[in-house]
Each structure stands twice: as structure tokens, then as C-alpha cells.
Amino acid sequence: MKKNTSTYEYYILKIDDGLDYQLLRRIDGNYYSASIPVIYTKKSNDNIFVHEVWRLILGLCSYNGKPVSCTISNYGDKGIKFSFGGFILPFFEYAIIKCMAWPLDNANGINNFVTSISMKDSIIKLLSHLSINIVEKGGN
């Protein structure tokens, strides 16, 4: 385990089928873990809690100096597309972004959106509060 966890101070471990997560911390070569309370079950259909563990994942990525990236690119003449490269957003942030952009459903990615270029600054501000790195492609 030490070989795989020697780079960062904190990790999140996904146990069993994803309902159980643990926070792992490395201090002076010793490892300590704590269970993250189970906030939903397989039988639950409460969308508010299903993605909340991603709030911890986004925070730890940022704390470890490897923030999640959002790529923003041109979409048509007056639009932008932004993609999270497979990272899932916490439910409330996802809901706010859906008020400013349209989700693109496709098999190649999770959380891809399109919107008017006029929404770009607002979206960047929201993402900065989540410590998400912005990568711009094209002439935005």
C-alpha cells in the first residue's frame, strides 16, 4: 500500500460496490482511516445525496494539488461547451449549472454542458468556488 499512497497526505478509498467510502490519511509513514458515513443506499432514489461524496473528492483533489479540470471550448458561433472529463459534480452545484446550461447526454462523457458565451463568466466563478481548474480551448 505504501508504494501507491506515498505521494499525498489524503486519499478516498471506495469500498465494496461504492456505498462505503473511507478517508485515508498518511502521517509520517503511518496510515489512518476513517469511514465516511453512508449517506445513501442502493434502494434510495434521493438524488440530493447520491453525489455528495464528490464534494469530498473535489476537495481532496484540490488539497493534494491536483484539482479537477473543466475544459471550456467553443460551441457553434455564440456558444461554449464545458466538460468535466468524467468527474461528477455534487448535486446542488449540478442543479445550479443546469440553470445556466443544457446538459449534453452522450456515452463519451459525464457532465458535459453547452450554453451561451454570455454565461461563461458566471460559470467560471461558480467553478472557482469548487476549486475546479479551468482549461480554455479555442478562441473564447
Side-chain angles (χ1 to χ4, degrees):
M1 177 181 267
K2 187 173 181 179
K3 180 179 178 186
N4 296 330
T5 61
S6 61
T7 306
Y8 304 109
E9 182 180 355
Y10 287 99
Y11 298 85
I12 289 186
L13 303 175
K14 181 178 176 181
I15 311 298
D16 65 41
D17 60 359
L19 299 178
D20 183 18
Y21 291 88
Q22 290 189 359
L23 184 64
L24 181 69
R25 184 175 184 192
R26 181 178 52 84
I27 302 173
D28 297 328
N30 295 313
Y31 296 88
Y32 303 91
S33 68
S35 291
I36 297 171
V38 177
I39 54 178
Y40 71 98
T41 66
K42 278 186 170 181
K43 295 179 183 176
S44 172
N45 61 0
D46 188 347
N47 288 329
I48 292 176
F49 294 110
V50 170
H51 294 154
E52 285 306 296
V53 73
W54 283 92
R55 191 177 310 284
L56 295 172
I57 292 170
L58 293 173
L60 286 180
C61 287
S62 179
Y63 181 86
N64 286 333
K66 299 283 185 181
V68 170
S69 290
C70 175
T71 302
I72 297 177
S73 56
N74 292 335
Y75 191 83
D77 292 335
K78 296 182 182 181
I80 58 169
K81 175 183 174 184
F82 54 105
S83 173
F84 294 91
F87 281 93
I88 297 173
L89 293 171
F91 180 79
F92 291 122
E93 288 79 356
Y94 177 79
I96 291 171
I97 288 177
K98 279 181 59 177
C99 292
M100 298 185 285
W102 293 269
L104 289 175
D105 294 325
N106 63 45
N108 295 325
I110 297 172
N111 288 338
N112 295 317
F113 298 87
V114 294
T115 190
S116 167
I117 199 162
S118 65
M119 298 302 293
K120 180 179 168 186
D121 291 339
S122 298
I123 290 168
I124 289 174
K125 188 166 195 136
L126 174 65
L127 298 178
S128 69
H129 288 293
L130 291 172
S131 300
I132 294 176
N133 185 41
I134 306 298
V135 177
E136 294 191 48
K137 291 188 174 181
N140 291 323

